[in-house]
Amino acid sequence: MRPDAASAARPLRAIALTLGVALVTFTLRAVVESHRYAAAGDAAVAAGDWESATLDYRHAIQWYVPVVGAQVHAFDSLVTLGDQAAAAGRIDDALVCYRSARFAVMATRSIWTPLADRLPPLHAKIAAAMGQQLAGGGASDPAAVEEFRGQLDAYRERSPGRVAGLGASIAFFAWLAALFAAATRGVGSDGSMQRGPLVRWALAAAVAFCAWIALVRLA
């Protein structure tokens, strides 16, 4: 490789290494936090503290990591808490558990919705509990329950668009990469400002930032 080509490739390798380290670091932290909160939720359940368990399980779901996270266990445990509360006639408490599980899932959406296959059954539980709550604890109106369930299921229409969501993610990392390149290529080895590279990379960062904001809005 020619010296000029090698010097041009050096910042790109540095950018790739920085992004790789950041991704690995975040993933490891997410795995640790997800399992830590899930374990805290289990301990709270064993101690009979359902309120703390609800909060811990919700956090475990929100620290979402595919496959290796504890989100499935936390979600199922949270729904089980809601079922137990509903069976005991504590409808308000059941709704807190159910809605916490739904909130945690919806908060982790990006270009896909994690645990999406578990949402329709959860929506049915929430709708039934809301109908019972509306009826003052008595028999709920089936039409009202179906209306509630339909409103909850409409989340699919408000889900982030896959293309816009993916584009927003790419634009975000492109913005970070351009900022890093501006900081490294815009300054020479002697500490002097390299006006041309600095302006080019700063402009690229501005374009990537604007693209990121626009795509987030579209998603």
Side-chain angles (χ1 to χ4, degrees):
M1 183 179 293
R2 297 194 309 271
D4 56 342
S7 61
R10 196 174 300 120
L12 297 179
R13 289 197 297 268
I15 291 171
L17 179 60
T18 301
L19 293 178
V21 170
L23 179 61
V24 170
T25 301
F26 176 79
T27 301
L28 288 176
R29 186 190 175 191
V31 171
V32 170
E33 293 294 335
S34 179
H35 285 279
R36 182 174 72 85
Y37 277 114
D42 292 342
V45 169
D49 185 359
W50 75 270
E51 292 180 338
S52 295
T54 298
L55 186 59
D56 288 330
Y57 285 141
R58 192 180 78 184
H59 287 323
I61 299 169
Q62 287 180 267
W63 279 105
Y64 175 78
V65 184
V67 183
V68 293
Q71 62 276 352
V72 174
H73 168 73
F75 182 93
D76 292 342
S77 298
L78 196 46
V79 172
T80 297
L81 282 179
D83 292 342
Q84 293 171 350
R90 297 173 11 243
I91 302 302
D92 291 345
D93 294 342
L95 279 172
V96 169
C97 295
Y98 293 151
R99 285 169 172 165
S100 293
R102 184 177 188 274
F103 170 83
V105 170
M106 301 301 274
T108 59
R109 293 184 305 165
S110 54
I111 60 175
W112 75 91
T113 302
L115 304 176
D117 59 324
R118 282 173 160 77
L119 286 180
L122 177 62
H123 290 169
K125 292 176 183 290
I126 295 175
M130 290 175 66
Q132 193 172 352
Q133 185 184 56
L134 185 65
S140 55
D141 181 4
V145 172
E146 182 61 24
E147 181 181 355
F148 290 143
R149 189 196 60 75
Q151 291 173 355
L152 292 167
D153 278 342
Y155 83 94
R156 293 183 178 84
E157 299 176 2
R158 300 190 299 271
S159 293
R162 291 182 181 273
V163 174
L166 179 60
S169 300
I170 293 174
F172 174 74
F173 286 109
W175 172 55
L176 294 181
L179 287 177
F180 183 84
T184 55
R185 298 296 300 277
V187 179
S189 57
D190 59 351
S192 61
M193 182 180 296
Q194 305 298 308
R195 190 177 189 85
L198 179 61
V199 170
R200 287 195 297 271
W201 284 111
L203 180 60
V207 171
F209 180 79
C210 292
W212 172 45
I213 296 299
L215 288 167
V216 166
R217 295 285 295 178
L218 289 174

